[in-house]
């Protein structure tokens, strides 16, 4: 009997061991040196990886260090990064998204003095992009891309159902009129998306409601934001929009598969979608509740920063400088990877996009946008949107109830 | 694979009476539950050996031999002991220590005594996820056992091409769960396979399984059973093959029906395997994470959030490693308790020859 208990204890202990050690991250980066640096980046596929590999190689070509990419899918990127930074195996070069920068100021090096030392002309960067990566006036990353949240739409389907093509600056009323046309034709116009940027931009455009205030503090009690949730729920209920899914890729996939005619996304994915879709793709601004209301959408950007633990900040900055240079960003623009964070590299992106009307729409959207501020709880908020936001959009709970549940979880 | 299957069931290895022979390859026949199962086997092997060594007659020359023998024993045990120490014992002890500390992922650590446990038990969400986990276990374990035992009983040697069926049924177990989830999403989502089929046949929309609170847990359980029954089926199938023919023949001559043969002869004969399978399935199902996390991210609301996801969220999103460790220990104690109860209860129904 005793031995059997021992056996059971061993089994359970081993089982616990699995629970605890199952999540450990792999791949230390202690092998960095002056001419060998590691760069952590979100990678979404082999084509993506090839494009970023080119960026990494450009550093060596420019006489800098050999840069090795350490990739993770975007969804897991920040979880993994946190763990790495806490265990001392930090990569020197760290990719950072603007709305998460505030969460990482304790582990990232402010770049202002390095930029001065190495003679980087910051005025050549798109000011929205650069500002988005500043926290308390200090720059934590040099931007490689930027962009406001937009709506992508299927021009062919709009023609087919006889809906008027959306003009930049269109209103919620016009949006719903078009959606009704789709409904009459037995189709759903909008693909619901509950990722933080998508959701928060749609609600900001609708009534100005926001869950993260301008100064970056969380305010889940904003009644306007809850109302915005109810509006998104009403779109589903009326048959204008699909039910939301906790899988972020559903709306985009439905769009490419012509199951929906419209969904929110940013310029960073436009050319990828254009390549996959076999229809005429268009972009427009997020609909506004009251005509002329600004800001009516959020912008975000990403850039490259340097971890505080990095022993070779000068070399790392040199690499970042090359990776955000006009030449490299132009190359990325031509491949359609990113809407460049440098003003002078944006024209090649427009030329390459080759979509009628893309330039005025993007410029109008940028004008109407405000950076989505970061907060230490941004990642948790995103997770809570996946769990609870889905209930509000699918009409199982009111926006107010949903935000109450989210607030309860955030206070922990 | 089929060769190792026709061996006596690895299941019985873990619970063989002291001194019984342990067939080679037992550990390799239990690949899926990994460390857990392997340790059971090792513990069963090592136990009787030590006892035997202790009972060795106390002759002078013999004693030296024992010393040398146990030294060699230690050498042979080193690779496994090292692995056990590095990957199991050290993390477990470390997590116990961390569970009494306030340990943010970055920043200062400090002792907090029982604060983490207090915080845990006063957190409403913790009780909700604990209930969800129990719900999952209560639904999943019996279903898994019934399906796997049923299919194993059906796959008698009389079935033609039974090896092909065995392989087919085992495939979901060896394909990565992430790939399985992608396929099941396509079945479950609105306009997905189930919804589309229902619309075209009976003209009614299927519920949005993964986003609807009343269905989400059932959807997760159904997917898990599909992905998980193959392993137990293999164990049962092998155990059933090992039931001596003469017993079955004797029963048939006595006029027993197929039903009676199964419940009176086969079931008691394979009860050690069933016991083993039940125990391992219970342990792994208390630790369920991948299926709900990938299918629903724990939603809608907290409907499918399990204990391990709660631990994961606490550790990696709110970055309170102390609290997460405390959660892991509570889960450990629950699993330990339930496993102990099973061992106590086995006398009533498990038959060892």
């Amino acid at each position: 009997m005793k031995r059997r208990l021992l056996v059971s204890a061993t089994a359970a202990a081993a089982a616990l061991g699995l629970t605890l050690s199952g999540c450990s991250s792999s791949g230390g980066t202690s092998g960095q040196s002056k001419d060998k640096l590691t760069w952590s980046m979100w990678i979404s596929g082999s084509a993506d990886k090839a494009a970023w590999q080119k960026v990494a190689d450009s550093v060596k070509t420019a006489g800098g260090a050999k840069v090795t990419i350490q990739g993770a899918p975007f969804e897991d990127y920040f979880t993994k990064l946190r763990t790495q930074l806490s265990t001392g195996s930090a990569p020197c070069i760290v990719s950072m998204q603007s709305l998460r920068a505030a969460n990482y100021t304790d582990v990232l090096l402010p770049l202002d003095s390095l930029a001065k030392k190495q003679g980087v002309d910051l005025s050549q960067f798109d000011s929205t992009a650069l500002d988005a990566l500043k926290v308390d006036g200090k720059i934590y990353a040099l931007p490689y891309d930027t962009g406001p949240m937009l709506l992508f739409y299927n021009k062919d389907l709009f023609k087919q159902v006889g809906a008027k093509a959306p003009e930049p600056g269109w209103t919620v009323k016009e949006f719903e009129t078009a959606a009704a046309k789709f409904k009459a034709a037995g189709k759903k116009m909008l693909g619901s998306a509950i990722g933080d940027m998508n959701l928060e931009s749609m609600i900001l455009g609708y009534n100005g409601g926001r869950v993260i205030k301008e100064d970056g503090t969380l305010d889940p009690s904003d009644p306007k934001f809850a109302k915005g949730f109810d509006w998104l729920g009403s779109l589903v209920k009326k048959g204008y929009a699909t039910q939301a899914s906790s899988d972020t890729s559903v709306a985009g996939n439905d769009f490419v598969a012509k199951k929906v005619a419209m969904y929110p996304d940013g310029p960073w994915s436009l050319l990828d979608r254009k390549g996959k879709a076999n229809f005429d793709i268009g972009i427009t601004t997020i609909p506004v509740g009251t005509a002329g209301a600004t800001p009516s959408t959020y912008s975000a950007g990403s850039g490259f920063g340097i971890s505080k633990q990095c022993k070779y900040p000068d070399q790392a900055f040199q690499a970042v400088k090359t990776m955000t240079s006009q030449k490299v960003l132009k190359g990325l623009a031509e491949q359609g990877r990113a809407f460049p964070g440098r003003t002078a590299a944006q024209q090649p992106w427009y030329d390459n996009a080759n979509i009628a009307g893309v330039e005025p729409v993007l410029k109008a959207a940028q004008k109407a946008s405000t950076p989505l501020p970061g907060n230490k709880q941004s990642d948790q908020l995103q997770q809570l949107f996946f769990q609870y936001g889905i209930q509000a959009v699918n009409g199982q709970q009111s926006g107010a109830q949903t935000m109450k549940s989210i607030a309860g979880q955030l206070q922990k | 694979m089929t060769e190792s299957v026709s061996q006596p069931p690895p299941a019985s290895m873990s619970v063989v009476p002291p001194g019984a022979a342990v067939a080679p390859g037992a550990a390799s026949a239990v690949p899926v539950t990994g460390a857990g199962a392997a340790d059971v086997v090792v513990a069963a092997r090592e136990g009787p050996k030590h006892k035997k060594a202790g009972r060795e007659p106390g002759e002078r020359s013999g004693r030296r031999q024992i010393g040398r023998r146990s030294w060699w024993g230690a050498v042979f045990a080193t690779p496994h002991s090292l692995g056990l120490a590095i990957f199991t014992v050290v993390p477990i002890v470390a997590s116990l220590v961390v569970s009494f500390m306030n340990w943010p992922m970055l920043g200062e650590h400090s002792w907090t005594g029982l604060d983490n446990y207090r915080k845990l038990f006063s957190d409403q969400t913790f009780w909700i996820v604990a209930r969800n986990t129990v719900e999952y276990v209560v639904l999943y374990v019996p279903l898994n056992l019934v399906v796997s035992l049923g299919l194993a009983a059906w796959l008698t040697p009389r079935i033609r091409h039974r090896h092909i069926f065995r392989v087919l049924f085992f495939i979901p177990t060896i394909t990565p769960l992430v790939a399985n989830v992608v396929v099941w999403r396509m079945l479950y989502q609105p306009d997905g396979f189930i919804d589309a089929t229902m619309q075209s046949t009976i003209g009614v929309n299927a519920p949005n399984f993964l986003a609807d609170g009343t269905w989400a847990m059932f959807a997760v359980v159904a997917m898990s059973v599909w992905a998980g029954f193959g392993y137990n089926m293999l164990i049962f199938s092998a155990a059933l093959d090992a039931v001596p023919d003469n017993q079955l023949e004797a029963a048939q001559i006595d006029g027993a029906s197929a039903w009676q043969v199964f419940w009176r002869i086969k079931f008691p004969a394979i009860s050690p395997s069933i016991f083993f399978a039940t125990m391992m399935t219970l342990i792994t199902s208390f630790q369920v994470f991948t299926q709900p996390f990938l299918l629903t991210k724990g939603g809608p609301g907290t409907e499918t959030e399990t204990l391990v996801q709660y631990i994961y969220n606490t550790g990696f999103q709110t970055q309170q490693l102390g609290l997460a460790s405390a959660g892991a220990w509570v889960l450990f104690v629950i699993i330990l308790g339930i496993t102990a109860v099973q061992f106590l209860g086995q006398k009533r129904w498990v038959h060892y020859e």
Side-chain angles (χ1 to χ4, degrees), chain A residues 10 13-18 21, chain B residues 34-36 38-39 42 46 74-93:
Chain A
T10 322
L16 179 77
L18 283 180
S21 57
Chain B
D39 285 330
V42 168
E46 283 175 353
V75 170
F76 283 125
T78 305
H80 182 267
S81 318
L82 270 182
L84 189 75
I86 295 170
F87 296 111
T88 306
V89 178
V90 172
I92 286 176
V93 173

Side-chain angles (χ1 to χ4, degrees), chain A residues 81-300:
Chain A
L81 184 66
R82 259 287 154 194
T83 320
Q84 281 184 323
L85 292 172
S86 68
T87 53
S89 60
C92 263
I93 305 164
V94 176
S95 304
M96 188 47 60
Q97 194 194 20
S98 60
L99 54 145
R100 289 181 167 81
N103 200 356
Y104 288 86
T105 50
D106 50 345
V107 285
L108 290 179
L109 207 60
L111 302 180
D112 305 74
S113 60
L114 279 164
K116 218 174 190 178
K117 200 166 120 191
Q118 297 201 17
V120 175
D121 183 4
L122 294 173
S123 69
Q124 290 188 358
F125 286 98
D126 185 311
S127 58
T128 349
L130 197 64
D131 286 348
L133 289 163
K134 278 184 191 167
V135 182
D136 296 330
K138 283 184 216 152
I139 303 167
Y140 284 93
L142 290 188
Y144 75 83
D145 91 334
T146 181
M149 209 54 172
L150 306 161
L151 281 171
F152 293 7
Y153 73 96
N154 182 330
K155 286 184 182 167
D156 298 354
L157 278 180
F158 265 73
K159 266 183 218 144
Q160 202 184 312
V161 302
K164 203 175 133 227
E167 298 282 330
W170 68 330
T171 62
V172 167
K173 210 175 152 198
E174 290 169 310
F175 170 86
E176 293 206 24
T177 310
K181 290 256 186 196
F182 274 90
K183 194 189 174 186
K187 286 181 182 299
K188 289 196 172 78
M189 183 172 84
L190 182 75
S192 296
I194 50 168
D196 48 8
M197 274 282 282
N198 317 26
L199 189 72
E200 290 172 43
S201 295
M202 288 296 286
I203 294 176
L204 186 73
Y206 173 69
N207 66 359
R210 47 197 304 169
V211 65
I212 301 182
K213 289 197 279 192
E214 275 160 79
D215 61 1
T217 49
L218 273 177
D219 181 18
S221 66
D222 180 11
K224 274 159 89 186
F225 192 81
K227 286 241 170 68
F229 250 135
D230 289 336
W231 173 62
L232 290 173
S234 76
L235 296 178
V236 174
K237 205 169 173 190
K238 285 183 207 161
Y240 293 172
T242 56
Q243 295 218 344
S245 162
S246 64
D247 181 352
T248 41
S249 61
V250 168
N253 290 344
D254 282 355
F255 176 71
V256 172
K258 294 190 262 193
K259 283 186 188 164
V260 296
M262 183 175 262
Y263 85 107
D265 207 337
W268 47 85
S269 18
L270 181 58
L271 298 191
D272 175 64
R273 292 288 178 241
K274 192 192 166 204
K276 282 179 185 151
N278 61 348
F279 50 81
D280 223 358
I281 198 169
I283 58 168
T284 189
T285 52
I286 303 276
V288 286
T290 11
T294 49
S296 57
T297 189
Y298 286 111
S299 66

